[in-house]
């Protein structure tokens, strides 16, 4: 597939883009954060967390880095009334109409569920407070009904002060068998993919995409707009 990249400067651009995605033949993954610039900047600075360190003690320097980051994030969350490291997760990967889960996105510095700061942050008194989720995650919504439900929910979350910070849309995602005999395995493939985060939109596949058209349009709060992936289907799958 052919990869193309586009830049955007408007922090609310993805709020519009996610509503352009057609639910037809689409798998959609979206992350929202509270619409607080300094919080979003710090959240995006968080490196991926490698849980294999449970069996391989990290260096003292690495441990200190995570402690400093966690304390800074907790302080920022308290300032803006955000539940630190607690996310609302709608995971559609296994079942398309599963119940949401509360997901912990922080760290335990001794490699266990009883290490700090997790030990403090799982205290039930924390949830007595009224505050925004650290993030809201929709993972792997597939097909028209599920994707439309996600889009409708996102409209509501945006109105409550959240902002779309990343999204991925796969067209005609499916599992195919690869290899032969002992080397056989299942692989996830799609006809085209769009993902966006941190001011960059990447498209893999032969897709006509004009970010200027998205920027110009005023999006309705009550209806879904121009079906981007629906047009992609027509371009990629003739007849």
């Amino acid at each position: 597939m052919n990869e193309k990249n586009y830049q955007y400067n408007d922090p609310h651009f993805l709020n519009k883009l996610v509503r352009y995605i057609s639910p037809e033949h689409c798998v959609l993954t979206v992350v929202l954060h509270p619409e607080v610039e300094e919080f979003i900047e710090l959240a995006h600075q968080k490196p991926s967390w490698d849980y294999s360190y449970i069996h391989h003690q990290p260096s003292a320097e690495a441990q200190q880095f995570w402690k400093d980051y966690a304390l800074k994030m907790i302080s920022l969350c308290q300032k803006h009334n955000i539940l630190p490291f607690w996310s609302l997760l709608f995971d559609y990967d296994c079942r398309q109409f599963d119940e949401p889960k509360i997901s912990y996105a922080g760290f335990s510095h001794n490699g266990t569920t009883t290490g700090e700061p997790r030990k403090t942050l799982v205290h039930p008194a924390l949830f007595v407070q009224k505050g925004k989720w650290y993030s809201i995650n929709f993972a792997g919504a597939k097909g028209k009904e599920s994707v439309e439900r996600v889009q409708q929910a996102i409209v509501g979350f945006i109105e409550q002060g959240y902002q779309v910070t990343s999204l991925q849309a796969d067209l005609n995602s499916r599992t195919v068998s690869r290899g032969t005999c002992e080397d056989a395995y299942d692989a996830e493939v799609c006809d085209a993919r769009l993902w966006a985060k941190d001011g960059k939109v990447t498209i893999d596949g032969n897709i006509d995409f004009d970010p200027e058209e998205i920027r110009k349009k005023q999006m309705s709060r009550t209806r879904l707009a121009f079906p981007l992936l629906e047009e992609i289907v027509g371009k990629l799958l003739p007849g």
Side-chain angles (χ1 to χ4, degrees):
M1 291 191 284
N2 301 317
E3 184 174 294
K4 298 179 181 179
N5 295 298
Y6 304 87
Q7 303 296 322
Y8 63 91
N9 296 316
D10 179 6
H12 301 107
F13 177 73
L14 298 188
N15 288 359
K16 295 182 178 182
L17 178 58
V18 72
R19 295 162 68 183
Y20 269 71
I21 304 299
S22 170
E24 301 289 344
H25 311 289
C26 173
V27 177
L28 183 64
T29 295
V30 182
V31 176
L32 300 93
H33 283 98
E35 190 177 357
V36 178
E37 183 177 355
E38 61 177 341
F39 168 80
I40 292 175
E41 288 179 358
L42 184 59
H44 282 185
Q45 291 172 18
K46 172 188 162 188
S48 59
W49 186 244
D50 183 6
Y51 286 96
S52 66
Y53 91 109
I54 293 174
H55 304 291
H56 302 85
Q57 186 68 17
S59 66
E61 182 180 4
Q63 291 185 60
Q64 189 60 49
F65 169 82
W66 291 115
K67 289 179 181 179
D68 293 342
Y69 179 89
L71 290 173
K72 186 175 181 180
M73 176 57 81
I74 291 170
S75 176
L76 197 58
C77 287
Q78 290 174 337
K79 175 182 176 182
H80 294 287
N81 198 25
I82 298 168
L83 289 170
F85 296 120
W86 285 104
S87 302
L88 186 62
L89 171 63
F90 294 83
D91 189 351
Y92 292 90
D93 285 329
C94 295
R95 290 186 293 269
Q96 286 300 303
F97 298 99
D98 207 355
E99 66 277 3
K101 303 175 179 66
I102 299 175
S103 175
Y104 180 70
F107 322 108
S108 295
H109 298 301
N110 68 350
T112 73
T113 58
T114 59
E116 294 293 358
R118 180 173 183 142
K119 182 178 179 180
T120 296
L121 296 180
V122 299
H123 196 294
L126 178 72
F127 297 90
V128 175
Q129 306 174 43
K130 292 183 178 180
K132 285 187 167 59
W133 296 103
Y134 174 87
S135 66
I136 298 171
N137 305 273
F138 298 92
K142 184 175 183 179
K144 186 174 187 298
E145 186 174 2
S146 289
V147 173
E148 284 184 344
R149 287 158 63 94
V150 168
Q151 290 172 313
Q152 291 159 4
I154 287 172
V155 171
F157 281 123
I158 289 172
E159 291 176 345
Q160 292 180 4
Y162 290 89
Q163 178 181 319
V164 178
T165 55
S166 70
L167 70 87
Q168 177 177 316
D170 295 349
L171 175 66
N172 289 326
S173 178
R174 58 200 180 275
T175 302
V176 299
S177 296
R178 296 281 176 83
T180 57
C181 300
E182 292 86 358
D183 297 326
Y185 65 97
D186 291 334
E188 291 294 325
V189 299
C190 61
D191 292 335
R193 172 172 293 164
L194 179 152
W195 64 96
K197 184 179 180 179
D198 295 333
K200 181 179 178 181
V201 178
T202 299
I203 294 177
D204 201 358
N206 186 21
I207 300 172
D208 289 333
F209 175 75
D210 186 356
E212 286 303 321
E213 287 299 315
I214 298 175
R215 293 188 185 103
K216 291 175 183 177
K217 287 186 177 293
Q218 296 296 320
M219 306 298 291
S220 167
R221 289 179 178 270
T222 58
R223 65 180 180 84
L224 302 179
F226 176 79
L228 176 63
L229 286 192
E230 189 173 88
E231 291 213 343
I232 295 172
V233 173
K235 289 179 172 64
L236 293 180
L237 302 178

